[in-house]
Amino acid sequence: MRDDLPNYFFRVRENGAAVFRVDTENRQRRIEMDQIAVVNIKNGEVKPHGDRTLSDEDMDEIHGWMRERRVTLGKRDMDDIHRTVDHLNLTTHWIQSKAHEDQLEEITDTLLLAMHDLRSVLVRKKADRLIKAKKKAKR
């Protein structure tokens, strides 16, 4: 098992991860994890832990993880949006077929405002993309 372990472990946090170097080559033959850095995935910042100096290998591993993590988070974002569309459709069906008047009274205004906000942003973003596409086509 010890031979299959990676050299680095990334403990995911809210905006990134704590980075550990994995060590199995010690007298006790235990798995030791030594924290070497903290990374912020949003701004790309890598902070060495304590007074450490990160090696080129450390930085290569960290940047590779950050690239993969951004891809994973992007896929999750899109999956969440597709689930939201499904949920909106299920909500529409619930409203049309099952909701009682008191339930509708409770959620109608909030849902209408959220949908209005969403629609406004989508329309503005769509218009921006169309304007960019027209400018690009003219070049």
Side-chain angles (χ1 to χ4, degrees):
M1 175 184 152
R2 295 186 204 290
D3 294 339
D4 295 344
L5 292 175
N7 293 328
Y8 296 87
F9 173 72
F10 295 82
R11 182 192 299 150
V12 175
R13 298 167 30 150
E14 179 83 23
N15 290 322
V19 184
F20 296 85
R21 190 176 296 120
V22 178
D23 178 20
T24 58
E25 303 297 324
N26 55 64
R27 288 187 207 184
Q28 297 86 11
R29 302 200 36 88
R30 293 184 189 165
I31 298 171
E32 292 182 7
M33 296 190 335
D34 185 26
Q35 186 173 357
I36 62 170
V38 174
V39 298
N40 184 317
I41 199 78
K42 300 219 186 265
N43 66 14
E45 187 174 56
V46 177
K47 289 184 182 178
H49 185 69
D51 59 354
R52 297 192 179 280
T53 301
L54 300 175
S55 69
D56 289 341
E57 179 185 358
D58 295 336
M59 292 304 292
D60 289 345
E61 287 289 329
I62 290 168
H63 287 126
W65 179 86
M66 291 172 78
R67 282 189 299 277
E68 290 177 19
R69 185 69 179 163
R70 284 183 181 115
V71 169
T72 298
L73 294 174
K75 287 177 183 177
R76 286 183 185 168
D77 284 347
M78 287 306 298
D79 186 54
D80 288 347
I81 298 305
H82 287 287
R83 289 173 189 263
T84 298
V85 171
D86 288 349
H87 203 86
L88 283 169
N89 287 325
L90 291 169
T91 300
T92 302
H93 178 72
W94 174 80
I95 289 170
Q96 191 171 31
S97 63
K98 298 177 185 176
H100 299 290
E101 283 188 30
D102 57 325
Q103 293 171 317
L104 290 173
E105 189 63 38
E106 182 179 330
I107 56 96
T108 296
D109 291 342
T110 304
L111 191 54
L112 283 171
L113 288 170
M115 290 183 338
H116 175 75
D117 185 36
L118 175 61
R119 184 183 182 283
S120 298
V121 172
L122 285 171
V123 168
R124 186 175 66 248
K125 292 288 190 174
K126 177 80 173 191
D128 291 346
R129 288 194 314 276
L130 290 172
I131 290 168
K132 280 183 184 177
K134 282 184 180 183
K135 287 180 181 179
K136 198 174 198 179
K138 288 182 180 181
R139 291 181 196 166

